[in-house]
């Protein structure tokens, strides 16, 4: 039996007030010092210990459980995006060119509300709880990766996190079990050829022509090297070369992204893109310089944690609330936590008239009616694990 809790209207209103504060004062990845200070002060007022020794602006809180046999971590990300907000809501961003366009203001407020509830209901909290308020989810270097290196999970038995999700209807909660989100790695390629006159191509090594072969060849990795049952994407996002009609340039630059649902697929695509760059360029007499920029690994939702989370969702909100979801080729640095220990990443639906624009859209907004369910879900996951 799950413990009975009460996310009353006062806690909901308080959480919304916190969310709107964070929304008005957004901070970019790695710069969330004011947000971190605000969170730290609130946790201290609740009587929740601050775990020192972790890089700022991350804030780690700790609540000792009445039994203390297990330690459960709950995570929220704090960073905003380099975007200009559009719209007319009364709590618009006050920071030019910075905007909470993905919902992290809501995540931070939700976890802070969870901490507030637990501090007032300590007799119900048997497990130790670690509250992870994480910097820099949206950009590299990853805040999750840094915290894992610093040992944030060393004493943790399981970890749970939520994401307010615009493409999932309000009132639904769901996730994909197993491979849930993709890795996200980037690459830069420089093709070093020999430039010359456009009317005398025989005297050149044309990097533009070579780049067309490279772009085509990379797609053969997905269609011919990757296992057909493993999802993967290679996309070029930039090609720069030359600036004249009749001059073949000496250099071409390409950039792109690699997405994969498994660690094996990500490693294969990394190796093959590097090999093809070198071999194809060499076959035309050019030099290919390949730079691989490691991003986030695939996010794997552990089946045992997913089974538990589904049980909590159905017992708390009803069987019709849970929504099985397909894997996504989006990326999330929460994957660094799940690479180390058992846990799950759960989507809380908020698609409605209030939240009709997708994540990272200038008019994106949260439907705050989704916040109470997210608060109760995180509390129940931590209490009953």
């Amino acid at each position: 039996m799950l413990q009975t809790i009460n996310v009353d209207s006062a806690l909901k209103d308080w959480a919304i007030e916190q969310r709107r504060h964070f929304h008005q004062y957004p901070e970019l990845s790695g710069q969330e010092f004011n947000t971190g200070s605000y969170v730290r002060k609130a946790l201290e007022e609740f009587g929740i210990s601050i775990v020192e020794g972790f890089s700022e602006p991350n804030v780690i809180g700790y609540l000792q459980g009445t039994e203390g046999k297990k330690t459960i971590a709950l995570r929220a990300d704090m960073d905003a995006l380099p975007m200009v907000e559009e719209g007319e809501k009364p709590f618009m961003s006050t920071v030019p060119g910075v905007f909470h366009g993905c919902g992290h203001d809501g995540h931070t407020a939700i976890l802070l509300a969870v901490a507030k509830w637990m501090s007032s209901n300590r007799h119900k909290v048997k497990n130790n709880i670690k509250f992870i308020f994480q910097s820099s989810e949206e950009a590299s270097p990853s805040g999750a990766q840094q915290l894992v290196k610093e040992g944030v999970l060393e004493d943790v038995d399981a970890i749970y996190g939520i994401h307010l999700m615009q493409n999932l209807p309000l009132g639904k909660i769901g996730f994909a079990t197993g491979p849930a989100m993709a890795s996200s790695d980037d690459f830069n390629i420089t093709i070093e050829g020999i430039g010359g006159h456009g009317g005398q191509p025989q005297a050149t090594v044309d990097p533009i022509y070579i780049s067309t072969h490279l772009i085509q060849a990379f797609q053969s990795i997905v269609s011919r090297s990757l296992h057909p049952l493993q999802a993967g994407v290679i996309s070029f996002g930039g090609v720069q070369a030359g600036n004249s009609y009749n001059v073949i340039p000496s250099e071409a630059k390409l950039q792109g992204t690699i997405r994969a649902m498994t660690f094996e697929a990500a490693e294969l695509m990394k190796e093959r893109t590097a090999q093809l760059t070198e071999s194809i360029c060499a076959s035309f007499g050019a030099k290919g310089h390949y730079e691989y920029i490691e991003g986030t690994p695939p996010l794997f939702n552990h089946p045992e944690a997913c089974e538990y989370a589904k049980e909590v969702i159905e017992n708390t909100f009803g069987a019709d609330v849970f929504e099985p979801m397909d894997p996504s080729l989006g990326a999330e640095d929460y994957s660094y936590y799940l690479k180390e220990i058992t846990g799950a990443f759960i989507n809380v639906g908020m698609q409605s008239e209030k939240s009709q624009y997708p994540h990272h859209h200038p008019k994106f907004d949260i439907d705050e009616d989704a916040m109470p369910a997210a608060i109760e879900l995180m509390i129940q996951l931590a209490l009953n694990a």
Side-chain angles (χ1 to χ4, degrees):
M1 290 290 294
L2 300 183
Q3 296 191 51
T4 300
I5 67 173
N6 180 26
V7 178
D8 57 22
S9 60
L11 184 60
K12 173 188 174 181
D13 292 344
W14 184 88
I16 291 173
E17 180 184 349
Q18 306 312 304
R19 179 258 161 165
R20 294 183 178 186
H21 168 82
F22 294 132
H23 191 90
Q24 287 182 288
Y25 303 101
E27 295 175 292
L28 294 174
S29 303
Q31 302 175 26
E32 311 96 319
F33 292 99
N34 291 330
T35 304
S37 295
Y38 188 99
V39 167
R40 173 185 282 261
K41 182 180 178 181
L43 293 177
E44 290 173 340
E45 289 176 353
F46 301 156
I48 291 175
S49 302
I50 303 298
V51 185
E52 305 293 352
F54 293 98
S55 56
E56 295 182 347
N58 299 291
V59 179
I60 312 300
Y62 185 81
L63 179 66
Q64 178 70 41
T66 58
E67 296 182 1
K69 295 179 181 179
K70 290 183 179 294
T71 299
I72 307 301
L74 302 173
R75 175 269 206 170
D77 36 17
M78 301 189 294
D79 51 335
L81 291 161
M83 295 176 60
V84 176
E85 182 176 18
E86 297 178 4
E88 298 179 352
K89 51 184 173 285
F91 48 92
M92 298 280 285
S93 170
T94 62
V95 183
V98 184
F99 162 48
H100 269 296
C102 196
H104 297 185
D105 51 343
H107 302 166
T108 304
I110 287 163
L111 186 54
L112 210 54
V114 170
K116 180 178 174 66
W117 185 93
M118 288 186 175
S119 70
S120 300
N121 295 272
R122 292 172 183 263
H123 62 287
K124 293 186 177 182
V125 186
K126 297 179 180 180
N127 295 317
N128 306 321
I129 310 298
K130 182 171 278 190
F131 303 93
I132 300 175
F133 291 89
Q134 179 208 307
S135 165
S136 194
E137 188 278 325
E138 294 284 2
S140 295
S142 158
Q145 184 182 31
Q146 182 65 30
L147 285 173
V148 169
K149 288 180 180 178
E150 293 171 356
V152 74
L153 298 179
E154 285 180 0
D155 58 346
V156 174
D157 294 285
I159 185 168
Y160 295 93
I162 61 99
H163 200 300
L164 296 171
M165 191 56 61
Q166 190 278 333
N167 63 359
L168 185 65
L170 179 68
K172 294 290 187 179
I173 302 174
F175 49 79
T177 300
M181 299 183 75
S183 61
S184 177
D185 303 313
D186 300 326
F187 60 83
N188 289 316
I189 296 172
T190 300
I191 302 173
E192 184 182 339
I194 299 174
H197 196 288
Q200 297 178 328
Q202 76 282 1
T204 72
V205 176
D206 186 349
I208 295 178
Y209 178 70
I210 297 168
S211 71
T212 65
H213 286 265
L214 208 56
I215 292 169
Q216 291 292 327
F218 274 26
Q219 301 314 311
S220 73
I221 299 172
V222 176
S223 66
R224 289 296 177 267
S225 297
L226 198 62
H227 192 290
L229 297 181
Q230 291 187 343
V233 169
I234 301 175
S235 294
F236 285 85
V239 180
Q240 296 87 35
N243 55 15
S244 178
Y245 291 106
N246 64 347
V247 177
I248 293 173
S250 60
E251 186 177 89
K253 293 182 178 294
L254 300 85
Q255 59 187 17
T257 188
I258 297 173
R259 304 289 175 108
M261 294 303 299
T262 67
F263 296 97
E264 296 79 11
E267 185 62 27
L268 181 147
M269 290 196 285
K270 172 185 176 181
E271 293 176 357
R272 291 291 291 136
T273 49
Q275 291 168 353
L276 286 173
T277 299
E278 180 179 358
S279 61
I280 289 176
C281 290
S283 70
F284 286 98
K287 293 181 180 179
H289 305 282
Y290 182 86
E291 177 192 13
Y292 186 80
I293 305 166
E294 185 174 349
T296 56
L299 190 151
F300 183 85
N301 267 339
H302 295 258
E304 61 272 33
C306 290
E307 183 178 351
Y308 164 66
K310 181 183 177 184
E311 179 183 351
V312 168
I313 293 166
E314 292 181 342
N315 288 340
T316 304
F317 305 106
D320 60 336
V321 169
F322 177 71
E323 184 81 17
M325 299 183 71
D326 294 328
S328 164
L329 270 293
E332 221 316 325
D333 78 348
Y334 188 86
S335 57
Y336 282 107
Y337 302 121
L338 296 181
K339 189 178 178 183
E340 302 296 324
I341 65 170
T342 298
F345 191 59
I346 301 165
N347 298 301
V348 177
M350 62 168 188
Q351 185 184 66
S352 67
E353 186 176 347
K354 295 179 183 177
S355 183
Q356 56 184 294
Y357 295 97
H359 298 269
H360 296 214
H361 188 282
K363 292 185 178 180
F364 171 84
D365 196 10
I366 288 172
D367 189 330
E368 294 167 334
D369 287 340
M371 293 177 64
I375 295 167
E376 183 164 0
L377 174 62
M378 295 194 87
I379 293 171
Q380 291 285 17
L381 287 168
L383 291 187
N384 298 285

